[in-house]
Amino acid sequence: MTGEGARPRPLVAGNWKMNGRRSAIAEAKAVADALAARETPPRADILVCPPATLVMVMAEILKDAPLAIGAQDCHWVESGAHTGDLSAEILADAGASAIIVGHSERRAYHDETDLLVKSKQQAVHRAGLTAIVCIGETKGQRLAGQTIDVVVRQLERSLCDATTPENTVVAYEPVWAIGTGLTPTNADVADVHAAIRDRLVARFGEAGHAIRILYGGSVKPQNAKELMAVANVDGALVGGASLKAADFLGIIAAYE
Ligand code: PGA
């Protein structure tokens, strides 16, 4: 059995994707101000991953805020002749504390493989940051009954042996639920998260219980509380609903 004992401290992470000009900084600031004004802080860590152009300025503006800044991708080497790329070290220097790797949009549109995702996870660790490693099945794979196999295989291959609860967060994001308004049933989320937990414990021992497993895919203020209450769901990776302060705060409210 998994999902028993103390749950890891949850993480609510916003992924702005290719959205957000300077004006969007005000949304993150509004979230930070609302959190700072509370008597009781939420029982979760909060992270916002804006486009890379905003990482440095947001990390500076929000350096004392109860909200961390992360990035959405990185290259796997530290520096060199890689025009247009950003290393984990460069993003760390800009103020990022976490980096998303292996998002399904990177896997689908940039042909990222599990092996490449693992290299990126290792790069994030090398830079001293937390890697948020994304996995998830497509609609076709779900309909073919392959969900658990696909997710567990991605998990096995995308995580390096040096994975710990401090340096890695896993995000389960069914591809068909991203940006579609569709979500799996709570029972389906519970099944996949239990399978992920089992694999983490089998591979990393006790530490596997403390590695956070986020759910992502159409998380909204309306469904957050229910989804976050599912066993082995240790927070959310939020796309569209992280762009507006009111929506993101509505999701964070699941941890009040
Ligand atoms: P969504 O995106 O919340 O807009 O579905 C989630 C994600 O891709 O991380």
Side-chain angles (χ1 to χ4, degrees), residues 15 17 103 105 173 177-180 216-219 237-241:
N15 171 13
K17 310 191 180 187
H103 189 280
E105 288 149 20
E173 299 203 303
I178 294 175
T180 57
S218 297
V219 178
L237 182 54
V238 185

Side-chain angles (χ1 to χ4, degrees), residues 15 17 72-73 100-114 117 120 132-139 141 150-151 154 158 171-180 216-218 237 239:
N15 171 13
K17 310 191 180 187
Q72 301 172 14
D73 179 46
I100 299 168
V101 295
H103 189 280
S104 64
E105 288 149 20
R106 302 287 318 171
R107 291 176 183 265
Y109 309 134
H110 296 267
D111 295 326
E112 293 198 4
T113 61
D114 292 329
V117 173
K120 292 186 173 196
I132 301 176
V133 180
C134 303
I135 52 177
E137 83 287 359
T138 62
K139 183 86 194 165
Q141 289 164 334
V150 166
V151 166
Q154 286 181 333
S158 303
Y172 167 57
E173 299 203 303
V175 178
W176 53 271
I178 294 175
T180 57
S218 297
L237 182 54

Side-chain angles (χ1 to χ4, degrees), residues 148-170:
I148 302 282
D149 285 351
V150 166
V151 166
V152 166
R153 191 169 63 237
Q154 286 181 333
L155 184 76
E156 283 295 312
R157 295 181 181 172
S158 303
L159 292 188
C160 69
D161 290 338
T163 296
T164 70
E166 290 73 38
N167 68 24
T168 302
V169 173
V170 172

Side-chain angles (χ1 to χ4, degrees), residues 45-250:
D45 295 330
I46 313 298
L47 174 77
V48 171
C49 301
T53 46
L54 294 181
V55 166
M56 191 157 90
V57 64
M58 286 177 64
E60 277 172 14
I61 291 173
L62 297 167
K63 67 175 180 304
D64 299 319
L67 180 160
I69 299 299
Q72 301 172 14
D73 179 46
C74 66
H75 196 278
W76 60 96
V77 307
E78 188 175 338
S79 60
H82 297 282
T83 304
D85 282 316
L86 293 168
S87 69
E89 283 80 0
I90 285 175
L91 292 162
D93 184 54
S97 59
I99 305 179
I100 299 168
V101 295
H103 189 280
S104 64
E105 288 149 20
R106 302 287 318 171
R107 291 176 183 265
Y109 309 134
H110 296 267
D111 295 326
E112 293 198 4
T113 61
D114 292 329
L115 197 62
L116 182 82
V117 173
K118 181 160 76 176
S119 305
K120 292 186 173 196
Q121 183 210 19
Q122 290 170 311
V124 176
H125 297 170
R126 189 185 62 218
L129 308 185
T130 301
I132 301 176
V133 180
C134 303
I135 52 177
E137 83 287 359
T138 62
K139 183 86 194 165
Q141 289 164 334
R142 174 159 286 268
L143 292 175
Q146 298 166 344
T147 298
I148 302 282
D149 285 351
V150 166
V151 166
V152 166
R153 191 169 63 237
Q154 286 181 333
L155 184 76
E156 283 295 312
R157 295 181 181 172
S158 303
L159 292 188
C160 69
D161 290 338
T163 296
T164 70
E166 290 73 38
N167 68 24
T168 302
V169 173
V170 172
Y172 167 57
E173 299 203 303
V175 178
W176 53 271
I178 294 175
T180 57
L182 304 171
T183 52
T185 64
N186 292 344
D188 286 340
V189 173
D191 282 350
V192 178
H193 279 241
I196 293 172
R197 179 69 69 208
D198 282 345
R199 290 310 305 158
L200 291 174
V201 171
R203 183 161 169 198
F204 303 110
E206 268 310 297
H209 286 293
I211 296 174
R212 294 184 277 197
I213 310 171
L214 311 185
Y215 168 78
S218 297
V219 178
K220 309 267 179 263
Q222 298 78 4
N223 61 17
K225 206 174 171 101
E226 213 184 313
L227 284 164
M228 298 306 104
V230 173
N232 291 301
V233 173
D234 308 310
L237 182 54
V238 185
S242 68
L243 293 167
K244 290 270 160 270
D247 291 342
F248 199 44
L249 284 165

